Amino acid sequence: MTYYKAQTTNSIACCLSCALDKLALLDDDHQGLSSSRNHLSTAVWLMDEHYRTWHSIIWKHSDRITKQRVREQLKTLAYDAYTAFVQAITLLNDYVEEQLQKERNGEPVTPPPPWWNEMLTSLRLAESAFLKEYHNDITNKQLRLF
């Protein structure tokens, strides 16, 4: 893992935090939005934990076993963060679909706030960074038997 990858971890957490801050401004007590916020919050925490774990050892001076153990922790954290992120996005998409369905049925719907596109951009950037930097970690999770 390079220094760049550690910085990408921090940038993913920042993108997710920005999206979470915007989503918290949405004044809607919809259950899906609440769950989406919770999942995004979990993803932010996990990426922060990933960053702290990366910096928890001195890579140049650590032994092979320590490096291997920390790499496994980093892979698990990346996978879990991406999983929480995907769950948040799924719930957010379900909310949008419900709003569109209400609009099609002629029910009154509040238009999206002016910051909605900024939030979507933050989520797209986070997803792009996840897939670029942690593709192997999130697609090739190995089962541990012991």
Side-chain angles (χ1 to χ4, degrees):
M1 187 181 291
T2 63
Y3 178 74
Y4 172 76
K5 199 166 189 177
Q7 293 306 318
T8 302
T9 299
N10 200 20
S11 67
I12 291 171
C14 289
C15 287
L16 294 175
S17 290
C18 289
L20 182 59
D21 290 345
K22 296 288 187 193
L23 196 55
L25 297 173
L26 194 59
D27 190 25
D28 193 336
D29 58 350
H30 187 272
Q31 178 64 30
L33 280 178
S34 177
S35 294
S36 182
R37 288 182 198 117
N38 290 338
H39 286 297
L40 273 180
S41 179
T42 299
V44 169
W45 183 84
L46 288 167
M47 289 312 290
D48 285 341
E49 191 62 28
H50 188 285
Y51 184 79
R52 283 189 294 278
T53 302
W54 164 257
H55 291 289
S56 68
I57 66 170
I58 300 172
W59 288 90
K60 188 174 182 180
H61 301 293
S62 296
D63 61 16
R64 184 184 58 77
I65 303 271
T66 302
K67 289 178 184 178
Q68 185 178 4
R69 180 181 47 80
V70 171
R71 279 190 190 106
E72 287 303 315
Q73 289 174 343
L74 293 171
K75 287 179 183 180
T76 300
L77 288 167
Y79 178 83
D80 291 346
Y82 186 73
T83 300
F85 169 75
V86 168
Q87 289 171 336
I89 296 302
T90 301
L91 291 166
L92 192 58
N93 285 336
D94 291 347
Y95 170 76
V96 169
E97 188 58 40
E98 283 181 31
Q99 296 303 310
L100 290 173
Q101 188 61 38
K102 285 181 182 179
E103 189 174 57
R104 281 184 227 129
N105 292 341
E107 298 176 42
V109 176
T110 306
W115 46 259
W116 188 262
N117 287 332
E118 293 172 22
M119 181 194 68
L120 293 178
T121 300
S122 293
L123 293 172
R124 283 187 195 107
L125 288 172
E127 181 179 32
S128 174
F130 265 125
L131 295 176
K132 181 178 179 184
E133 292 302 321
Y134 302 106
H135 179 75
N136 289 335
D137 297 342
I138 59 181
T139 58
N140 299 328
K141 180 158 175 143
Q142 297 293 315
L143 293 175
R144 295 189 75 185
L145 300 176
F146 303 101

